[in-house]
Amino acid sequence: MATPVDTLHRPLSELRISVTDRCNFRCDYCMPKELFGAEHHFLPRSSLLSFEEINRITGVFASLGVRKVRLTGGEPLLRRDLDRLIGMLAEIPQIDDLSLTTNGALLTRKTALTLKNAGLKRISISLDTLDDEVFQAMNGVQFPVHQVLEAIDHAAAVGLAPVKVNMVVKRGVNDQAILPMARHFHDSGHILRFIEYMDVGNSNGWCYDHVLPSGELLERIHQEFPIEALPSNHSSEVAKRWRYLDGGGEIGVITSVTEPFCKGCTRARISAAGTLHTCLFASHGHDLRKPLRSGTSDEQLGQLISGWWKQREDRYSALRTSQKAIPAKIEMSYIGG
Ligand code: SAM
Ligand code: SF4
Ligand code: SF4
């Protein structure tokens, strides 16, 4: 099937799959514990796409031109036997990049090895600071820093290197951690990536004052470790790459707020319940679960997806500053970050 191209000339080429809406953390910028408490209703098991359904729909996306797949959530390692899904997706011939984003809490050496052996190519692990007090307040469940650092080591030791370490930067909350994190990961072989705090969902109480522009962040790093820009690996890469002039490795900045990258956004997302979203900030999606469960052929599924993609005109971040009324958005833990 031909690769669909949207109204802004962006082809479909990447897929993010949320395998669960549940998480063992309550990060204040994603699932604040005040709002995601005991009363919160997560999806029942029957609403989640099965591994077989995920595999089938990924095959359809591959036939439409998708080459990169990332598993996310919620916390993807909460989904039992995730290696079985990875094994299935790794068999799809067109998929040449299969990766996972995790908070690392459940990533033992054994799990890392199992995922790698199943066919996982790359991993991103989130860590917002090296300061235990700040980290425990941010993750909302008192999870200690050292266990995430161990998870990063496990991933690298089994060959999932270089590990990308994702740090969401909130001004006034963890921006003091920028330099300690840069020092820690300088010369480590891992790639530290700073993510501007985004207004995903409706529950994190986002305001612009909490955003630290990446330009300012790079300036702070440059004072201690001179850096220079690197060319991007491909046109749809979201992180802007920089390298330390002393040979200490690479860092990245994800400037979704201050320098949006909607122009090159070729990414589709599937929620854990099987809804296709064509933007992280979408207020609605297209149901794939129903057709998947009601005898629709692969050909017909491909036509549905292709039709939706061709109508796509999303560029939320590029419009953010000019938007007055923002419709209710879907939570990131649901849609898949
Ligand atoms: N639970 C996994 C984790 O935290 O790595 C995967 C899902 S999480 C939604 C994916 C990524 O989104 C993480 O790196 C997280 O830090 C980032 N993220 C979540 N909320 C964010 C926000 N409001 N702004 C920027 N990044 C955010
Ligand atoms: Fe969970 Fe990841 Fe969201 Fe934190 S960012 S609450 S770890 S899904
Ligand atoms: Fe893509 Fe939407 Fe983000 Fe723009 S705002 S880069 S269209 S996900």
Side-chain angles (χ1 to χ4, degrees):
M1 276 186 271
T3 300
V5 176
D6 73 11
T7 61
L8 300 172
H9 315 291
R10 300 168 296 189
L12 169 61
S13 71
E14 291 177 43
L15 182 62
R16 280 196 179 207
I17 305 169
S18 171
V19 294
T20 176
D21 60 333
R22 289 166 199 262
C23 190
N24 43 2
F25 280 14
R26 287 292 177 272
C27 301
D28 59 353
Y29 49 72
C30 179
M31 298 174 78
K33 57 176 183 284
E34 301 73 30
L35 293 165
F36 290 83
E39 260 89 87
H40 182 77
H41 291 290
F42 289 99
L43 292 167
R45 216 187 151 67
S46 59
S47 296
L48 298 182
L49 290 191
S50 66
F51 287 168
E52 286 68 25
E53 288 167 335
I54 294 176
N55 184 42
R56 183 171 163 218
I57 202 69
T58 307
V60 173
F61 274 93
S63 73
L64 291 171
V66 163
R67 299 291 171 263
K68 293 178 71 167
V69 172
R70 177 172 292 272
L71 300 180
T72 180
E75 174 44 46
L77 295 182
L78 285 179
R79 185 89 188 243
R80 204 176 310 147
D81 302 329
L82 192 71
D83 57 297
R84 193 166 74 80
L85 175 64
I86 290 174
M88 291 163 92
L89 301 180
E91 293 284 303
I92 301 176
Q94 298 99 320
I95 304 298
D96 50 34
D97 187 17
L98 184 53
S99 58
L100 173 79
T101 304
T102 171
N103 61 27
L106 296 172
L107 195 73
T108 58
R109 178 77 59 115
K110 189 166 168 241
T111 308
L113 188 60
T114 309
L115 298 174
K116 163 84 178 150
N117 287 342
L120 187 70
K121 293 257 172 39
R122 300 186 301 122
I123 196 161
S124 299
I125 301 181
S126 304
L127 177 64
D128 298 326
T129 173
L130 297 171
D131 181 317
D132 250 318
E133 204 177 317
V134 178
F135 187 54
Q136 294 188 6
M138 285 182 86
N139 65 50
V141 295
Q142 303 287 304
F143 199 81
V145 169
H146 76 89
Q147 283 196 40
V148 184
L149 291 175
E150 282 162 21
I152 295 169
D153 289 345
H154 294 322
V158 303
L160 290 168
V163 177
K164 286 185 179 155
V165 179
N166 283 349
M167 169 177 174
V168 175
V169 181
K170 261 184 104 173
R171 194 199 281 277
V173 176
N174 68 334
D175 61 316
Q176 294 308 322
I178 294 168
L179 286 173
M181 286 281 282
R183 285 177 206 127
H184 184 89
F185 290 106
H186 177 265
D187 223 1
S188 66
H190 309 310
I191 302 176
L192 177 59
R193 305 188 324 157
F194 301 95
I195 306 178
E196 288 179 351
Y197 171 44
M198 292 186 287
D199 50 335
V200 281
N202 309 290
S203 52
N204 64 9
W206 185 87
C207 78
Y208 193 85
D209 294 348
H210 283 143
V211 179
L212 184 89
S214 295
E216 193 180 325
L217 180 146
L218 290 168
E219 204 36 60
R220 287 194 201 176
I221 291 180
H222 189 70
Q223 298 288 327
E224 181 163 333
F225 297 109
I227 46 175
E228 71 175 6
L230 283 172
S232 50
N233 287 320
H234 51 85
S235 62
S236 62
E237 188 166 56
V238 296
K240 296 186 176 69
R241 303 168 60 214
W242 293 77
R243 75 172 195 95
Y244 293 116
L245 290 182
D246 64 5
E250 182 180 330
I251 57 171
V253 285
I254 301 180
T255 60
S256 15
V257 179
T258 61
E259 283 177 62
F261 32 81
C262 299
K263 244 170 125 176
C265 181
T266 58
R267 183 175 293 171
R269 296 180 145 85
I270 304 179
S271 75
T275 308
L276 169 68
H277 297 281
T278 55
C279 178
L280 180 54
F281 299 92
S283 47
H284 69 280
H286 307 282
D287 184 21
L288 282 167
R289 191 182 60 203
K290 199 164 166 216
L292 266 171
R293 292 185 181 174
S294 58
T296 309
S297 70
D298 286 4
E299 179 80 26
Q300 288 166 326
L301 284 168
Q303 283 163 1
L304 275 176
I305 296 165
S306 189
W308 291 326
W309 190 267
K310 285 179 184 162
Q311 289 165 18
R312 176 182 190 241
E313 42 187 29
D314 306 295
R315 50 190 188 114
Y316 176 90
S317 288
L319 297 173
R320 180 188 282 112
T321 43
S322 61
Q323 273 185 353
K324 303 227 164 25
I326 296 169
K329 291 166 275 165
I330 296 162
E331 297 302 327
M332 193 171 194
S333 52
Y334 177 82
I335 203 170

